[in-house]
Amino acid sequence: MSPILTPPEIDRRHRAHESDNGSGRRPPTDKLTGGNGEGGDNWNDRPQGRRGPRERLSQVRMGLFFGLFAVLMFFIAIVSAFFVTRASGHFDAYSHYVNEWLPTTIPSILWLNTAVLLLSSASAEMARRSMFREVDVMDEWIGLSRRTSQRAAAWLSVTLGLGGLFLVGQWIAWDQLAAQHVFFRSNPSSHFFFLITIAHAIHLFIGVSALIAALIGLRRSHKLASRQILVDATVWYWHAMGLLWIFLFVLLEYGQ
């Protein structure tokens, strides 16, 4: 994971020639600590655990990790029930073993949806990396440009569009099954198909909302570190939803 880049203390020889308002300062590049360009941003001089953006980034990532762990446990419970139900059966009055599980034919559009989600993960990663490109970050820190935020916003917009396309594709898949008279309560297999895909779609919709929030933050937040943290957390959540979908798609396609 990329660290937050923060200009450290400026060389004293250059300070002697600078004006009091800080104009014309040369962004130093000898340390990678954390900060947002405000006065007193030499985070290395602060007590351990109170250095600001680097610790904020670590805390946000840790919180995101625990949140994603809870999501993972939720889907593990569903998948466990999936396998237990698939293997369950009963004997009828004639001592015949009956298993009501009828495999659900997966709509072919799910292959396209998977490809779209993989592309969206790639564009999201481009946005995240652009927020930590050292040369551009230095320029943005001292106010010369907002190239990092603009580039990240462009990639996040692509991700948002692809994420919306994925959700539309999932709706089409559900509609195709309904046209074949396969519904949530048709049989245990279709029950789990709708349960798994709808649950994932809800979590991905949360990711779409996070992308919208990140785009707003890139435009309105005045602190570079806050923009970096917002994009970083959003993209890692999006990656997690992409990896989760790949596992669920393989389960639905080959695990029935």
Side-chain angles (χ1 to χ4, degrees):
M1 295 183 182
S2 306
I4 286 186
L5 304 179
T6 303
E9 185 181 3
I10 299 175
D11 194 288
R12 294 181 180 179
R13 292 175 299 177
H14 292 279
R15 281 187 176 181
H17 301 289
E18 294 172 351
S19 60
D20 292 338
N21 61 9
S23 61
R25 295 196 304 174
R26 179 176 63 88
T29 58
D30 59 321
K31 296 179 182 178
L32 305 178
T33 52
N36 52 34
E38 298 177 349
D41 259 351
N42 185 13
W43 298 104
N44 284 338
D45 292 338
R46 299 194 177 189
Q48 183 67 27
R50 297 183 58 188
R51 294 182 180 175
R54 175 185 285 182
E55 280 66 27
R56 285 174 56 201
L57 179 63
S58 298
Q59 292 169 1
V60 169
R61 286 174 173 171
M62 185 63 67
L64 179 63
F65 170 80
F66 284 113
L68 290 174
F69 183 77
V71 173
L72 178 62
M73 291 298 100
F74 170 75
F75 278 96
I76 286 178
I78 294 178
V79 172
S80 298
F82 174 94
F83 284 112
V84 170
T85 305
R86 188 192 66 172
S88 299
H90 65 275
F91 290 93
D92 61 13
Y94 303 97
S95 298
H96 295 151
Y97 184 79
V98 178
N99 190 331
E100 297 179 353
W101 184 278
L102 298 175
T104 300
T105 301
I106 304 301
S108 59
I109 194 175
L110 290 191
W111 287 92
L112 178 60
N113 292 349
T114 302
V116 167
L117 195 57
L118 289 176
L119 287 175
S120 73
S121 188
S123 62
E125 180 62 18
M126 292 296 293
R128 192 188 72 84
R129 293 192 179 192
S130 68
M131 288 300 297
F132 296 96
R133 187 170 292 122
E134 182 174 355
V135 175
D136 293 339
V137 168
M138 293 298 110
D139 290 343
E140 187 160 341
W141 182 81
I142 61 177
L144 292 179
S145 72
R146 289 178 67 97
R147 285 188 297 176
T148 55
S149 296
Q150 292 171 354
R151 187 181 295 112
W155 283 113
L156 287 183
S157 297
V158 173
T159 306
L160 179 61
L162 292 172
L165 189 60
F166 174 85
L167 292 176
V168 171
Q170 295 295 82
W171 183 274
I172 293 174
W174 301 328
D175 190 60
Q176 288 178 348
L177 287 178
Q180 301 170 16
H181 303 286
V182 178
F183 302 100
F184 182 81
R185 297 183 180 277
S186 296
N187 68 80
S189 175
S190 65
H191 173 84
F192 278 100
F193 175 87
F194 282 98
L195 177 62
I196 289 173
T197 56
I198 291 175
H200 178 268
I202 291 173
H203 286 85
L204 194 80
F205 182 78
I206 295 174
V208 168
S209 301
L211 286 171
I212 295 174
L215 285 168
I216 295 174
L218 285 173
R219 183 176 180 85
R220 296 187 178 181
S221 177
H222 298 295
K223 295 184 178 182
L224 174 60
S226 296
R227 296 196 296 271
Q228 289 175 316
I229 291 172
L230 184 59
V231 171
D232 184 85
T234 299
V235 171
W236 283 119
Y237 179 87
W238 195 262
H239 287 334
M241 292 302 102
L243 290 174
L244 177 61
W245 171 251
I246 291 175
F247 169 76
L248 296 175
F249 175 69
V250 171
L251 174 69
L252 295 173
E253 181 68 27
Y254 302 106
Q256 298 193 66

